Amino acid sequence: MFELSLMCPEDRIEAVSDALDALDALSVSVEDADAQTDAEQALFGEPGMPPPKDGWQRSRVTALFPSEGAARDAQQLLAVQDFFAGCQVLGVSQVADQDWVRLTQSQFAPVDITPDFWIVPTWHELPAQAKRSIRLDPGLAFGTGTHPTTRMCLRWIARNGATESSMGNPLGRVLDYGCGSGILAIGAAKFGATDIDAVDIDPAAVESTALNAQANEVQLHAGLPDKARGAYQTVLANILATPLRVLAPLLCGHVMPGGHLVLAGILERQADELKEAYAPWIRLEVADLEDGWILMTARRDEAA
C-alpha cells in the first residue's frame, strides 16, 4: 500500500476528496495539520450527524492506493486541476506491513462500567475483579461500551438492577428502544431481567443484537420497532436528542405506572428541551453526567 499526502486549505477539501475517490483511492482521511500544536482547532459534532465543517484551515489529506504507480498518477492528475490551487503535495510513501487485525484489536481494551461490571472484547481475558461481564466486539452496530452515553446507561442498569426487591427483579419487563448492538438489553439480562424486548429500525442492528445475546448466553427478543408491545417496567433509549423528542409520546406510552424511563444520547445543553418535550407525560431529570453528555431519567406516576 502507498499513501499520497497532501496539504489543503479548508475550502478545497471536498473537491480534492471527491477527486481522490474518483481516482480509485482505497481510503481518504482528513486530519488537522496543526494537531498537537498551539494552532490546533477543535471540531465538535454529534454521532450520526453531518460534521460541522469539511476540515480545518490547514488540513492534511491522506489517500491510500494499492500501488506506487496509482498514487503517483493521482498526484500528477490532481496537480493540473484548477481546484488544486492552494494545495501542496507532501509526498508518496509506502505503508509498512502490519498485522491489521492485531492492531485493530489493540485499540479496544476492556471497559469498566462499575468496579465489578465490565465490557470485554472476546480476545481479552476477563479482569479478575469482573463479577459480571458482557462479551462484545466492535461491529457495524452502535454500542461497544466506550461512549459516555452507553456507560451511563449501563451504570444505571447496574445500580438499579442490583437492588433487592420483594417483587422480583427490579428492572422488570425491559424495552431497549434503538438497541444497536444490544448492549443495554444484554446488560439488563446480566442483572436479572428475563422479559426483554430489543428493537431497532436497522435490520443489521437487530441481527447484531441477536448474535451478541447468543454469545453472552442471555435470552431476549430482538426485532424491528413494531415488536415493542405493551407496557414495560424499564424503557431504555440511547439514541440522540432529536429522535428522542419525536419519540416522546411513543416511549412514554410504553412505561407502565411506577416504571422507569432512561434516556441517553443527550448533550448537557439539550436538557431543558428534552424536559419540555416530555413534560406532558413524565418529569425528566438529569441523573448522570460524563464528558458533556447527560443521562436523563424519570419514574412514571403510579396513578398514571
Side-chain angles (χ1 to χ4, degrees):
M1 298 290 183
F2 286 79
E3 284 184 345
L4 169 61
S5 297
L6 311 168
M7 184 76 73
C8 299
E10 181 188 334
D11 62 352
R12 303 292 179 176
I13 293 169
E14 182 176 5
V16 170
S17 297
D18 288 346
L20 288 166
D21 283 335
L23 291 168
D24 296 327
L26 299 175
S27 68
V28 179
S29 62
V30 182
E31 300 174 348
D32 186 358
D34 296 313
Q36 311 300 320
T37 73
D38 292 340
E40 181 178 12
Q41 294 179 302
L43 294 181
F44 297 102
E46 294 187 38
M49 301 296 288
K53 299 170 68 176
D54 289 326
W56 294 264
Q57 291 179 5
R58 284 174 15 99
S59 291
R60 182 185 179 97
V61 179
T62 304
L64 187 66
F65 289 90
S67 68
E68 182 177 8
R72 295 203 179 279
D73 286 346
Q75 172 188 335
Q76 293 173 4
L77 287 168
L78 285 173
V80 298
Q81 305 303 317
D82 292 341
F83 60 75
F84 200 68
C87 299
Q88 177 187 357
V89 175
L90 300 179
V92 173
S93 60
Q94 186 172 7
V95 180
D97 289 337
Q98 298 194 56
D99 184 339
W100 295 106
V101 172
R102 188 177 298 275
L103 179 63
T104 299
Q105 289 181 348
S106 70
Q107 298 172 3
F108 294 92
V111 177
D112 60 317
I113 304 303
T114 70
D116 58 4
F117 177 35
W118 289 69
I119 312 300
V120 186
T122 56
W123 57 82
H124 275 278
E125 293 290 332
L126 282 174
Q129 62 270 44
K131 295 180 180 178
R132 287 186 177 91
S133 65
I134 298 175
R135 287 289 198 174
L136 197 67
D137 294 340
L140 294 177
F142 179 78
T144 59
T146 59
H147 196 273
T149 60
T150 308
R151 289 198 299 269
M152 288 189 292
C153 287
L154 289 170
R155 281 201 296 266
W156 187 95
I157 290 170
R159 184 169 60 247
N160 288 272
T163 305
E164 293 295 329
S165 172
S166 60
M167 302 297 291
N169 184 270
L171 297 175
R173 188 172 184 235
V174 174
L175 172 63
D176 180 2
Y177 199 98
C179 58
S181 67
I183 189 170
L184 302 185
I186 294 168
K190 292 287 183 174
F191 279 87
T194 56
D195 188 358
I196 305 168
D197 289 335
V199 302
D200 202 291
I201 61 173
D202 184 356
V206 174
E207 181 181 3
S208 177
T209 293
L211 292 173
N212 287 330
Q214 183 179 9
N216 282 275
E217 300 181 339
V218 301
Q219 298 294 318
L220 55 78
H221 311 287
L224 298 175
D226 61 359
K227 297 297 183 182
R229 299 181 184 277
Y232 299 82
Q233 176 66 19
T234 303
V235 175
L236 307 158
N238 180 17
I239 316 176
L240 285 172
T242 297
L244 285 175
R245 286 197 301 270
V246 175
L247 290 167
L250 184 149
L251 293 176
C252 290
H254 280 304
V255 183
M256 67 174 55
H260 294 276
L261 178 64
V262 181
L263 306 180
I266 308 163
L267 294 168
E268 190 174 4
R269 59 179 169 78
Q270 296 169 324
D272 288 342
E273 60 190 85
L274 265 294
K275 288 181 180 180
E276 182 179 352
Y278 281 77
W281 301 279
I282 207 164
R283 182 179 177 182
L284 284 176
E285 298 292 344
V286 176
D288 205 349
L289 168 67
E290 184 177 338
D291 293 343
W293 297 89
I294 56 174
L295 182 78
M296 303 192 77
T297 64
R299 187 166 187 179
R300 190 167 186 182
D301 194 326
E302 294 275 6

